[in-house]
Amino acid sequence: MNFGIFSTFYVGIDIGRYKIEGIKIKKSGKNLQFINQVSVPYSTKVFDGDETVDENEIILSLEKVGKTLKVDVEDFIVTSIFNDKVLFRQMKMPKMTKKNQIIDATKFQIVKELSISSANITVDVDILEETDNLSVSAFIVRNEDIEKFKSFFLRAGLPMPDILDAGYFKFNYLVENKLGPGISFLAFEDNASTYIQLFKDGKFIAIDSIPIGTNEFEENNPSAENIHYLQLSDEVQRLVRMLISRKSLQVPVNNVICVSEKMEYVDEWVKNLKEADIGNVSSYCDFVGLKKDIPAGAYSLAMRGVIQNAKG
């Protein structure tokens, strides 16, 4: 039962590659109110590629975020696990009525493919119903990686998250209801890879990646920055066209939305990508109408909590 007369606090915590950002919002009926936000840059190098090399810095930064936001055990907390810890598979399934049946069937297929015990993995699915079957997007995480991630919160003295999402989805929840009919792409530049999500009529249908990320250029070097985003834009254009061909889509691309772990460089990326003829290219903040001083990933994660709770 959902008692709309009561106020609820939602916290989004984005554990990024270079900083941790958080936001706390209050929902009263249909009204949302910003309570506080925080950004804590790491004081040391925390990641070497996909490898975590300084967990203590994550813990210290999480503690600062928790204190600034005054995170409480009754807050609804949403965060996301690192992209490289989430395996993606897409498969066709016969039509089934219950989601748990689909998850069990998907898990069976994954166990066969990866030769891994079903007891060692957690699987979630996104389901798109087709004429004769189901198109199932499966997201697989090893349980040991989930427990390791949760331990960051425990060691920082914070409550356990209510939702632990896939990292490359952390920006989705402000975008999906704005996409509308047609084909759109969300391009997310992480530190070691860039993830390209394909949406049709506002629904996620596929994801792929490029092994190029923010670690590959020297900061405060305009020439290196420009070369990096020229190369990334070429690769994004190539992958966009490949995904369209792979899915046999005939309609034109409406939107390509760019977001990055280093948001300060997104405008340079957008400028380069606009030269390709692949639809309307815009930065994430411009597309969703978000002020650039608001932590986009954290806010989107907090909204994930609002959406989830509204479903009951």
Side-chain angles (χ1 to χ4, degrees):
M1 188 174 292
N2 191 350
F3 296 96
I5 59 172
F6 295 111
S7 300
T8 305
F9 293 93
Y10 295 87
V11 175
I13 297 179
D14 179 10
I15 302 179
R17 301 297 190 174
Y18 307 99
K19 58 190 173 184
I20 298 180
E21 294 187 314
I23 196 165
K24 189 171 190 174
I25 59 179
K26 178 181 179 181
K27 185 173 187 291
S28 300
K30 294 183 179 180
N31 298 318
L32 292 175
Q33 176 188 354
F34 281 93
I35 302 300
N36 204 354
Q37 66 184 65
V38 61
S39 180
V40 182
Y42 300 135
S43 60
T44 63
K45 183 177 182 179
V46 172
F47 296 94
D48 185 4
D50 290 333
E51 183 182 356
T52 307
V53 295
D54 191 346
E55 289 184 3
N56 287 334
E57 183 64 20
I58 294 177
I59 308 308
L60 290 172
S61 300
L62 265 177
E63 287 177 350
K64 293 175 184 177
V65 167
K67 288 177 181 176
T68 301
L69 297 181
K70 298 181 180 178
V71 175
D72 185 85
V73 69
E74 294 185 1
D75 295 338
F76 195 99
I77 303 170
V78 185
T79 190
S80 59
I81 197 167
F82 306 127
N83 297 326
D84 55 282
K85 302 301 183 187
V86 184
L87 185 64
F88 173 77
R89 288 290 186 275
Q90 200 151 35
M91 56 190 71
K92 300 293 185 181
M93 289 282 181
K95 287 194 174 183
M96 306 177 203
T97 56
K98 296 181 179 179
K99 186 176 180 180
N100 64 330
Q101 291 177 321
I102 300 170
I103 290 176
D104 288 343
T106 303
K107 205 169 187 179
F108 179 77
Q109 290 292 104
I110 296 297
V111 166
K112 282 179 57 179
E113 179 184 339
L114 301 181
S115 300
I116 188 172
S117 169
S118 62
N120 294 336
I121 59 173
T122 294
V123 176
D124 200 1
V125 296
D126 194 52
I127 305 158
L128 186 64
E129 190 165 344
E130 298 180 342
T131 305
D132 300 318
N133 53 30
L134 299 176
S135 176
V136 178
S137 300
F139 307 93
I140 307 102
V141 187
R142 294 189 305 173
N143 291 336
E144 63 183 89
D145 289 329
I146 292 174
E147 294 308 311
K148 167 65 76 174
F149 198 84
K150 285 181 176 179
S151 75
F152 296 156
F153 285 78
L154 181 65
R155 291 161 62 188
L158 296 178
M160 287 295 101
D162 294 276
I163 295 177
L164 180 58
D165 214 341
Y168 38 69
F169 279 175
K170 67 185 179 182
F171 295 102
N172 287 26
Y173 307 105
L174 301 180
V175 165
E176 290 174 333
N177 66 348
K178 294 181 178 289
L179 292 176
I183 301 302
S184 294
F185 289 88
L186 176 61
F188 167 35
E189 184 188 25
D190 198 6
N191 66 329
S193 299
T194 296
Y195 299 86
I196 313 297
Q197 293 184 58
L198 167 59
F199 295 84
K200 182 182 179 184
D201 300 332
K203 292 184 178 294
F204 165 84
I205 62 171
I207 188 170
D208 210 328
S209 63
I210 302 162
I212 301 174
T214 55
N215 282 351
E216 297 196 8
F217 70 93
E218 181 185 350
E219 291 192 15
N220 302 316
N221 184 334
S223 176
E225 174 190 334
N226 185 55
I227 291 170
H228 170 80
Y229 283 110
L230 278 170
Q231 181 186 8
L232 180 57
S233 296
D234 286 345
E235 290 299 312
V236 168
Q237 180 182 183
R238 179 190 62 79
L239 186 53
V240 161
R241 299 189 190 284
M242 186 183 299
L243 283 167
I244 290 172
S245 175
R246 191 184 298 167
K247 292 296 180 179
S248 302
L249 300 172
Q250 304 299 323
V251 296
V253 176
N254 289 342
N255 301 289
V256 179
I257 306 148
C258 300
V259 67
S260 175
E261 281 289 330
K262 290 185 175 178
M263 294 291 282
E264 61 269 30
Y265 296 106
V266 165
D267 288 343
E268 179 67 24
W269 184 12
V270 168
K271 182 184 75 174
N272 281 288
L273 197 52
K274 278 184 175 180
E275 296 179 8
D277 184 23
I278 53 169
N280 179 44
V281 181
S282 58
S283 73
Y284 181 85
C285 290
D286 287 344
F287 184 80
V288 301
L290 195 66
K291 294 179 180 179
K292 292 186 178 181
D293 61 342
I294 295 175
Y299 182 42
S300 180
L301 288 167
M303 289 304 299
R304 165 82 154 96
V306 172
I307 295 166
Q308 183 69 29
N309 241 8
K311 293 178 180 178

